[in-house]
Amino acid sequence: MDQGLDWHAARAALEWQLEMGVDEAILDAPVDRFAAEAALKEAHVARAAAPVARAAAAPVKAEADPVAEAQALAEAAADLEALRAALAGFEHCALKRGARSLVFADGVPGARVMLVGEAPGREEDMQGKPFVGRAGQLLDRMLGAVGLSRTESVYITNVLPWRPPQNREPTPEEIAMLLPFLRRHIALADPDLLVIMGNTSAQALLGKRGITRLRGTWAEAAGRPALPMLHPAYLLRTPAAKREAWADLLSLQARLRALG
């Protein structure tokens, strides 16, 4: 274009070119419109895929494994007090949030006989000790009949340290996450004999249910002789079963005498 044109003449020339259909200047080199369009599409695809790629590349935080964490905490406990503290600090069991107390144990640590009950009831939750309600009073009478006592010769705990709501039966998941603590509890207390009271205890330590069928037959649990027995709460509901409970107590007494 002639650089001598004044502004008005230049504007008039541009307007005339627009009217003739000229809408862009000619470059020094040709433009490949097909390649430009393909490049534009690729850019759009790349922008759309970027968030997905970033999400895929971001590390995924694995959920905590309650059983593995319970195992690690239990194994790290060097004594019963440390185990109690580890159990109190375990946050994966929802029962803890609904219970009043941690029911850890009662009796004589290191006693030759260790009783494993099921789970705390209302009275146990209130007092923080296992077997203190009506079932506990019956248990004390049963033990006394064969010369045993929680104050002198028996150590007592439960599979679960926290009361389930409405005294419902513990779930398999609850038993599994608390079983490492129970096994460590038994190892640290180191009894000669175990008494497994009730279905939940049998499920946890023997992997079996059906306590009316299992009772009275010695088995092995946690590396030591174990005697499944009817739970005292069951005996309160079914007094006729006290005959079987008495036979099991005599079997326990005879086993202790045989050990010397």
Side-chain angles (χ1 to χ4, degrees):
M1 183 179 293
D2 187 351
Q3 298 299 319
L5 292 176
D6 62 16
W7 182 87
H8 295 287
R11 179 184 175 87
L14 287 173
E15 291 177 348
W16 177 79
Q17 291 181 37
L18 289 172
E19 289 178 2
M20 294 297 102
V22 178
D23 58 2
E24 71 177 291
I26 298 175
L27 303 178
D28 295 334
V31 176
D32 187 343
R33 298 297 182 187
F34 296 103
E37 185 176 352
L40 185 60
K41 289 182 179 179
E42 289 179 2
H44 283 305
V45 171
R47 283 196 296 272
V52 177
R54 287 195 297 271
V60 178
K61 185 178 180 181
E63 292 186 6
D65 182 347
V67 176
E69 185 169 325
Q71 186 70 45
L73 289 170
E75 289 178 356
D79 53 35
L80 291 173
E81 283 305 312
L83 184 66
R84 183 188 185 109
L87 196 51
F90 186 68
E91 299 295 338
H92 293 291
C93 184
L95 295 178
K96 177 181 180 180
R97 294 187 283 276
R100 176 187 297 228
S101 303
L102 168 67
V103 181
F104 184 68
D106 193 21
V108 183
R112 298 180 66 194
V113 177
M114 181 173 182
L115 272 63
V116 180
E118 297 181 318
R122 179 177 178 275
E123 292 295 326
E124 288 78 11
D125 185 40
M126 292 179 65
Q127 297 188 39
K129 292 182 179 181
F131 286 99
V132 294
R134 290 181 60 221
Q137 295 167 12
L138 176 57
L139 175 64
D140 289 340
R141 294 197 296 272
M142 291 166 61
L143 293 173
V146 290
L148 298 174
S149 164
R150 76 168 75 200
T151 60
E152 298 177 355
S153 54
V154 172
Y155 186 62
I156 305 174
T157 191
N158 283 318
V159 174
L160 270 63
W162 296 293
R163 179 193 181 194
Q166 307 303 316
N167 290 347
R168 65 159 173 77
E169 187 171 335
T171 67
E173 292 76 17
E174 290 164 347
I175 295 173
M177 76 171 69
L178 293 168
L179 184 56
F181 292 106
L182 175 60
R183 290 190 177 279
R184 184 59 176 161
H185 202 157
I186 294 170
L188 291 171
D190 196 23
D192 293 335
L193 303 174
L194 286 174
V195 176
I196 298 173
M197 290 194 147
N199 260 326
T200 297
S201 307
Q203 180 181 344
L205 292 174
L206 300 176
K208 300 176 182 178
R209 292 183 64 83
I211 193 64
T212 56
R213 182 181 69 256
L214 296 170
R215 57 137 297 269
T217 301
W218 284 91
E220 182 176 308
R224 60 206 75 218
L227 178 64
M229 284 187 62
L230 299 171
H231 196 284
Y234 176 83
L235 298 177
L236 289 173
R237 299 191 303 270
T238 316
K242 290 181 179 180
R243 174 190 295 183
E244 287 84 358
W246 175 241
D248 295 344
L249 287 169
L250 292 177
S251 178
L252 174 63
Q253 184 183 55
R255 191 69 175 250
L256 280 170
R257 288 175 176 170
L259 291 175

